[in-house]
Amino acid sequence: MPTNHQLRLYNSLGRRMEDFTPSGAVTGIYSCGPTVYAFPHLGNMRPYVFADTLRRAFRWRGVEVRHVVNITDVGHAVADSDTGEDKLEVAAARERRSVLDIAEFYTSAFFVDMAALNVMPADEYPRASGYVPEMIEFAAELEAKGFTYQLPSGLYFDTAKDPGYGELAQMNAEGQLEAARLEHVEGRRRKTDFALWRAEDPGQRRVLRWDSPWGWGAPGWHLECSVMSMALLGQHFDIHTGGIDHRELHHVNEIAQSQAYLADGRPWVRYWLHTEFLQLGEQKMAKSAGGAPRLADLTEAGYHPMAYRLFLLGSHYRSQLDFTPAAVEAAQATLRRLVARIQPLRPLPPVETLAAAQAMLAAGDPVAARLLDSIDAAIAADLSTPKILATLQDALRDPDITPGGQRIVVAAADALLGLSLATLESADLEHRRAPSELSDEELHAIEQLVADRTQARKERDWPRADQIRAELDELGVEVTDTPTGPVWQLR
Ligand code: AMP
Ligand code: ZN
């Protein structure tokens, strides 16, 4: 059977599909992580579900990976500017909490969502605030090499010194990122020059501040990713990932400063992979605008996190995707049908790699062998999760597949999809209505009935209590009696 299709990935550097072969025994992957000043929204989940798919693809092929995801708790100024306040400082003032509290709180919120979406934990989650001395050393080295100039507002990277500047963004010769760099910075030589160190204004003491050769202040936003990735993955590594917005600015600057720092004539990172955005109608879903839906909003509305994961995987990571409640509803219905078909096949065999799946497959099951090969071909073709989903459906429908082969193909598909198909229960996927979907009248009627039932129980009027429970049941309300009183939820 033909196996092991060559893994091909779309490299933003050069904008083309390329064969991927690891450069060493361990493939280093760095994913730009969250800025922890607000709850992550549904769009923020997409790059990490993508990075998880990438990791599953490597596991499938037996390639060892080291994955680093940073936590930006300092350095990211409002509107990605070079001179503004830190996003975390603004959030701390808004919520009247310390910056540390804000960072801890929203970092935990990010981890909760990652776990709910079955995203495998990274090997390291470095915090930017833990690497400021290393960032200062890095900037000092760039200064020593002549790549910087100093202004009262800080230390700037001189992009004129980098002939390859902007290659990733495929910038024009002028290299003017008009849209992203509208900010006026006094004395800045080129619009593309960016802050390595943001000096504190005299008389305006920052909350997050460090001493440096360029005065008190805070690091520029791009520095942390160069410094922490090199510290944890080595000077050069194979893959860097992030949302598509980073392709035009953040990653351009990471590359410029890293290659200037290393000065070894080699590209710093070989592959740059970018996830397209999740859109909300015609709008971009942005954390800074606030109000963007979160995973918790979906679960509160009765959707399972795996339904959202399926919704994401149903599109290729390089396609823009529109978020609509109807699409998530459809994903949940698809998942419910999938689970109903898979439940009788359980327990599924433990399959994480292509080699394991092939070793398990008995000779004489050509259908399963063909489907396994399709799965391998799909993941090798720039991680085509929609094709894997289609193959999974084929495996469940094909009349000629053996039950043993079917189990192996389903387990193999899920090793890459990560939908928990071995354990999800149909009951978890019933659509529960959220109390917020009820009208005021409905809510009032339910609460009245629950109170009447409590009263009947107090009076030991069991027939009446039972009758009210039946009425609530008809309305789709489940009551549970707890030591602190009854609680109810919608089915
Ligand atoms: P942030 O926490 O804002 O630094 O963003 C975390 C990650 O989410 C980054 O990789 C962003 O590129 C990505 N991102 C932000 N908004 C969206 C969106 N609407 N759709 C997909 N990815 C997004
Ligand atoms: Zn980054």
Side-chain angles (χ1 to χ4, degrees):
M1 156 171 107
T3 56
N4 264 331
H5 298 266
Q6 169 63 47
L7 176 60
R8 289 173 66 73
L9 297 172
Y10 185 84
N11 194 350
S12 293
L13 202 57
R15 307 279 153 87
R16 56 175 174 249
M17 286 282 243
E18 288 177 8
D19 288 357
F20 179 86
T21 20
S23 63
V26 179
T27 293
I29 304 177
Y30 184 90
S31 302
C32 285
T35 311
V36 287
Y37 70 102
F39 283 114
H41 57 61
L42 287 171
N44 293 133
M45 307 286 107
R46 198 176 185 198
Y48 308 108
V49 170
F50 160 71
D52 190 56
T53 307
L54 182 64
R55 287 186 57 184
R56 288 169 186 274
F58 283 124
R59 184 179 70 177
W60 171 253
R61 308 174 78 82
V63 174
E64 198 183 329
V65 160
R66 181 165 159 78
H67 188 206
V68 176
V69 177
N70 65 302
I71 304 288
T72 301
D73 58 356
V74 63
H76 199 165
V78 174
D80 297 347
S81 74
D82 274 342
T83 52
E85 277 179 291
D86 249 73
K87 289 188 178 193
L88 268 97
E89 290 174 345
V90 174
R94 185 186 63 223
E95 298 188 22
R96 292 166 205 260
R97 295 204 273 175
S98 75
V99 168
L100 204 70
D101 262 10
I102 292 282
E104 272 311 310
F105 180 78
Y106 291 115
T107 304
S108 313
F110 171 72
F111 287 140
V112 166
D113 286 356
M114 290 295 108
L117 287 171
N118 199 25
V119 168
M120 298 190 287
D123 296 284
E124 303 274 356
Y125 291 101
R127 265 81 170 164
S129 60
Y131 282 82
V132 178
E134 289 86 343
M135 291 189 228
I136 293 173
E137 272 174 39
F138 189 103
E141 174 70 17
L142 289 177
E143 187 177 39
K145 287 193 159 109
F147 280 100
T148 64
Y149 58 90
Q150 198 174 345
L151 296 175
S153 59
L155 183 71
Y156 287 81
F157 185 91
D158 187 353
T159 54
K161 298 265 165 65
D162 175 6
Y165 184 79
E167 187 192 347
L168 178 72
Q170 301 200 336
M171 262 181 233
N172 61 26
E174 280 289 281
Q176 305 283 289
L177 276 176
E178 295 294 346
R181 317 288 294 164
L182 285 177
E183 185 193 18
H184 173 75
V185 179
E186 197 57 49
R188 191 167 60 184
R189 296 181 191 161
R190 275 195 182 192
K191 278 192 175 166
T192 46
D193 295 352
F194 57 92
L196 296 164
W197 190 258
R198 297 175 299 135
E200 194 172 77
D201 278 346
Q204 216 184 23
R205 194 184 160 106
R206 282 180 176 277
V207 183
L208 298 163
R209 63 200 296 268
W210 288 263
D211 200 5
S212 83
W214 317 283
W216 283 87
W221 170 39
H222 315 294
L223 211 45
E224 64 172 283
C225 290
S226 293
V227 167
M228 299 196 293
S229 62
M230 287 191 204
L232 296 166
L233 295 171
Q235 289 192 329
H236 292 276
F237 53 95
D238 281 344
I239 300 179
H240 200 310
T241 77
I244 192 83
D245 54 331
H246 290 341
R247 191 182 67 187
E248 314 304 326
L249 177 72
H250 179 49
H251 289 168
V252 165
N253 292 344
E254 277 190 44
I255 291 174
Q257 66 196 9
S258 298
Q259 293 185 172
Y261 175 88
L262 294 170
D264 57 5
R266 287 170 57 194
W268 171 43
V269 173
R270 296 165 64 219
Y271 289 81
W272 290 82
L273 309 183
H274 292 106
T275 319
E276 257 299 345
F277 260 42
L278 181 74
Q279 305 272 123
L280 192 59
E282 288 299 289
Q283 288 166 359
K284 200 174 116 170
M285 201 181 279
K287 201 188 276 184
S288 54
R294 297 162 44 196
L295 191 61
D297 295 321
L298 287 189
T299 48
E300 212 254 326
Y303 298 108
H304 196 282
M306 287 301 110
Y308 181 63
R309 184 169 173 118
L310 177 63
F311 162 73
L312 290 179
L313 297 176
S315 289
H316 189 256
Y317 74 92
R318 284 194 291 112
S319 314
Q320 257 185 20
L321 183 56
D322 272 329
F323 173 79
T324 60
V328 178
E329 175 81 51
Q332 177 130 325
T334 304
L335 189 58
R336 197 161 51 229
R337 283 194 297 273
L338 270 175
V339 168
R341 296 184 86 131
I342 289 167
Q343 257 167 340
L345 302 174
R346 288 176 184 166
L348 297 180
V351 171
E352 287 184 347
T353 64
L354 173 62
Q358 285 174 335
M360 255 178 233
L361 201 64
D365 195 340
V367 177
R370 177 175 54 74
L371 293 172
L372 212 50
D373 187 59
S374 309
I375 290 175
D376 189 47
I379 198 73
D382 198 25
L383 317 183
S384 179
T385 50
K387 283 197 187 133
I388 299 176
L389 283 165
T391 308
L392 173 64
Q393 298 283 8
D394 289 347
L396 292 169
R397 272 194 219 110
D398 199 303
D400 298 325
I401 194 168
T402 66
Q406 200 172 38
R407 281 194 183 91
I408 294 167
V409 174
V410 170
D414 203 37
L416 293 164
L417 298 169
L419 289 169
S420 311
L421 295 178
T423 51
L424 266 184
E425 297 294 332
S426 301
D428 298 338
L429 301 166
E430 295 303 331
H431 177 77
R432 282 184 185 277
R433 278 200 303 160
S436 57
E437 291 173 52
L438 296 171
S439 67
D440 286 350
E441 292 75 41
E442 283 176 303
L443 199 60
H444 183 73
I446 291 168
E447 276 170 355
Q448 188 60 54
L449 283 170
V450 172
D452 289 350
R453 177 173 165 276
T454 308
Q455 186 59 31
R457 282 167 60 89
K458 226 188 235 165
E459 291 166 6
R460 304 186 156 266
D461 186 349
W462 307 121
R464 168 127 181 88
D466 284 347
Q467 185 209 333
I468 298 174
R469 182 189 275 280
E471 279 176 46
L472 285 165
D473 195 54
E474 293 236 314
L475 294 172
V477 178
E478 252 170 47
V479 196
T480 318
D481 293 301
T482 74
T484 51
V487 290
W488 62 269
Q489 63 177 9
L490 293 171
R491 253 198 318 274

